[in-house]
Amino acid sequence: MRQMRAVLPARRGGAGRIQAMTLLTHRGDGPAFSYAGNPMHILAGHSGQPPGFAAMEITIPARFAGPVPHAHDEFDEAIYVLSGRLLVAGEDEPQEAVPGSMFVAPRGYRHGFSNPSGEEARVLGLWAPPEPALAFMRDIGAALTPDTPPDPDRMREIYARHASRLLP
């Protein structure tokens, strides 16, 4: 991963250690894994850097049924739409999220999304804390396919392994 180091004076961390600040990760430089057949690029949160959150760029395929509505008990999630459109669901009726929209699902709250349009959507996903979220996204991303609805039994097993649950 290509990173720029701060040219400003370094900060002192715990026990007086000097810590350099990471300023930049270029698109495609970080590690990636599959999400519904497309690469999910990790921009922040890999290897615990930074320790507070993860950020990933994801391309959501056209006509993607999305994950089954669910809730996470160990991390918060937010999705910011960069291009395209998503249909996002929370506790209320689904709503359209267009570029510039952010959908936030605090831990424990029901949420889901789909892309019923004929064009891909590109989003920035944010999760906190990063470790449980990255582990979940790796497993669920590998299980989702762009052209078929998710298998509820397989989803249930993955969600249970990651302190998450499927909801009606």
Side-chain angles (χ1 to χ4, degrees):
M1 177 178 358
R2 183 173 37 169
Q3 299 176 345
M4 269 179 101
R5 298 281 178 190
V7 292
L8 301 173
R11 293 185 175 181
R12 295 235 175 240
R17 289 177 287 158
I18 295 178
Q19 300 173 329
M21 181 186 304
T22 300
L23 295 176
L24 182 63
T25 300
H26 294 277
R27 182 178 187 198
D29 280 351
F33 54 86
S34 178
Y35 184 87
N38 287 327
M40 178 179 243
H41 298 281
I42 302 173
L43 303 170
H46 179 67
S47 299
Q49 296 299 318
F53 72 96
M56 292 180 266
E57 182 181 346
I58 313 158
T59 300
I60 309 298
R63 299 191 195 347
F64 178 56
V68 176
H70 58 279
H72 307 291
D73 294 324
E74 292 186 342
F75 56 90
D76 302 311
E77 180 175 3
I79 296 172
Y80 182 80
V81 179
L82 298 166
S83 65
R85 300 179 312 224
L86 294 179
L87 190 60
V88 297
E91 299 292 334
D92 299 324
E93 292 297 313
Q95 298 180 50
E96 186 175 66
V98 297
S101 303
M102 179 176 264
F103 177 66
V104 178
R107 61 190 83 182
Y109 281 83
R110 179 187 188 276
H111 63 284
F113 68 90
S114 64
N115 180 3
S117 79
E119 68 178 88
E120 292 182 333
R122 195 166 53 92
V123 303
L124 175 67
L126 302 167
W127 295 266
E131 292 84 9
L134 287 170
F136 171 78
M137 293 305 290
R138 267 190 195 93
D139 286 356
I140 205 68
L144 292 171
T145 59
D147 51 359
T148 56
D151 173 14
D153 291 332
R154 186 168 185 207
M155 297 295 107
R156 193 172 290 102
E157 184 273 322
I158 294 169
Y159 279 72
R161 254 191 297 131
H162 294 283
S164 299
R165 54 209 146 79
L166 300 180
L167 298 171

